[in-house]
Amino acid sequence: TVEVSAERFLDQNGVRKIILVFYDITEMKRSEKSLKDFVANASHQLRTPLTSIKGYTETLLDMPPADPADGRRFLETVLKNADHMDKVISSMLALAKSEQAGKRLRLGPLSGREHLSRAIDDLAVWAGERSVTFRTRTPEDEMYVMGETDGLLHVFHNLLNNAVKYSPHGGVITVSAEDDGESIVFCVEDQGPGISREHSTKVFERFYRVDENTIDGSGSAGLGLAICRRIVKNFGGEIWHDGYGEDVRGARFCFRLNKPAEKTP
Ligand code: ADP
């Protein structure tokens, strides 16, 4: 996109001249648009549960149900929607934080093994309730990567959380790590429905969800993978979906992080 400004004037010889200035405002327009899209998406994500909260509350005030069990059900719906809003707001704040943090992050060597097992421990109870188990395939040697501890945990949590969420009852989640010399590649693979190729890069965009129609109280707003991508980029790494191998049944997310120059912290 180009913006033009023009100014006429007479030069020293009395000749009429015109100055044309062309401004390239493509980048500005793009960031304006992405801010607009962000606000529109965020408003939509918050307004949907809010409308439901208002509807149920107004009904309770105007026409209280005769059966207290119905009243309770209404309140549970109100709470579920409020929880959803709470989680969406937390995700938006996490995204904003990771976007701001980019430039002034202090990266240091972190133990991949330690962070991975902390994340697995944190999800073990929830996974157990769904009879989902974790299997890890990691090298014998300790794996150090360059990063920042909260961010690395966040990425593991998010990928493992999604894997549990989409796993069938009794499913197995395989977490692997591979040292390719310069970097460590971590992959999380589940046995759920997987992600078709047309969605495989879009799922990393803010607010992108393959199935847009569910509000389940899980705070699913399509921000989780956008946050992961930002964090991994801040660490100088990359993240992608790679679920199309012949032996892959569900989704398979991988990310690569640099190893520190020296092996131990
Ligand atoms: P959400 O907060 O909705 O989980 P994410 O950014 O984590 O947002 O994921 C974006 C979308 O990618 C999800 O809504 C879902 O459609 C898809 N997705 C993510 N992880 C998986 C997975 N392990 N299996 C299947 N689909 C997934």
Side-chain angles (χ1 to χ4, degrees):
T1 314
V2 176
E3 210 171 74
V4 188
S5 75
E7 198 170 329
R8 293 168 205 276
F9 68 104
L10 288 179
D11 76 1
Q12 286 164 339
N13 304 320
V15 179
R16 235 192 269 246
K17 295 221 161 140
I18 187 165
I19 300 178
L20 289 175
V21 183
F22 295 85
Y23 303 91
D24 180 356
I25 56 166
T26 318
E27 199 45 54
M28 199 176 85
K29 283 269 177 230
R30 193 177 294 144
S31 70
E32 254 176 34
K33 180 169 184 322
S34 87
L35 180 63
K36 263 192 202 152
D37 288 349
F38 183 82
V39 172
N41 276 318
S43 310
H44 173 73
Q45 286 292 337
L46 294 174
R47 180 158 284 158
T48 309
L50 189 58
T51 305
S52 164
I53 289 174
K54 281 176 73 177
Y56 279 95
T57 313
E58 278 164 9
T59 310
L60 280 171
L61 286 172
D62 296 345
M63 302 174 267
D67 184 349
D70 286 337
R72 198 185 156 79
R73 233 172 0 93
F74 282 18
L75 286 174
E76 280 166 359
T77 307
V78 168
L79 184 60
K80 191 174 83 180
N81 280 280
D83 276 347
H84 180 84
M85 291 179 77
D86 193 8
K87 286 178 187 159
V88 169
I89 291 168
S90 301
S91 297
M92 287 201 262
L93 290 174
L95 181 65
K97 195 174 139 203
S98 63
E99 287 185 346
Q100 274 169 4
K103 293 177 194 82
R104 49 187 167 72
L105 262 190
R106 284 195 166 191
L107 305 184
L110 303 174
S111 156
R113 192 185 304 285
E114 209 178 288
H115 286 74
L116 176 58
S117 64
R118 259 177 74 182
I120 290 180
D121 286 351
D122 291 342
L123 288 172
V125 173
W126 182 47
E129 285 168 6
R130 302 174 156 227
S131 303
V132 169
T133 46
F134 295 104
R135 181 171 60 187
T136 48
R137 287 203 191 133
T138 54
E140 291 280 299
D141 290 347
E142 178 52 290
M143 310 161 285
Y144 283 101
V145 290
M146 289 305 283
E148 167 274 323
T149 195
D150 287 350
L152 181 58
L153 268 178
H154 199 113
V155 175
F156 277 133
H157 271 145
N158 238 308
L159 296 183
L160 293 172
N161 193 70
N162 280 349
V164 175
K165 190 158 82 181
Y166 292 98
S167 278
H169 189 85
V172 177
I173 295 169
T174 308
V175 189
S176 62
E178 217 173 304
D179 184 335
D180 72 3
E182 306 240 307
S183 50
I184 308 273
V185 179
F186 297 95
C187 292
V188 176
E189 185 180 322
D190 62 54
Q191 298 173 328
I195 294 173
S196 67
R197 273 183 205 276
E198 65 168 312
H199 296 296
S200 72
T201 49
K202 293 187 186 148
V203 289
F204 292 99
E205 289 169 12
R206 296 158 168 176
F207 296 112
Y208 192 87
R209 293 162 67 208
V210 177
D211 175 8
E212 289 200 358
N213 301 318
T214 45
I215 285 191
D216 51 9
S218 69
S220 182
L223 287 176
L225 290 171
I227 297 171
C228 289
R229 180 172 65 173
R230 168 51 62 184
I231 293 173
V232 170
K233 270 195 181 163
N234 286 348
F235 293 175
E238 55 175 337
I239 185 166
W240 66 97
H241 178 255
D242 172 31
Y244 310 107
E246 282 195 352
D247 50 342
V248 182
R249 281 174 54 192
R252 178 176 150 94
F253 284 94
C254 298
F255 65 101
R256 173 199 306 282
L257 292 179
N258 295 324
K259 296 202 304 190
E262 286 174 29
K263 249 192 161 178
T264 44

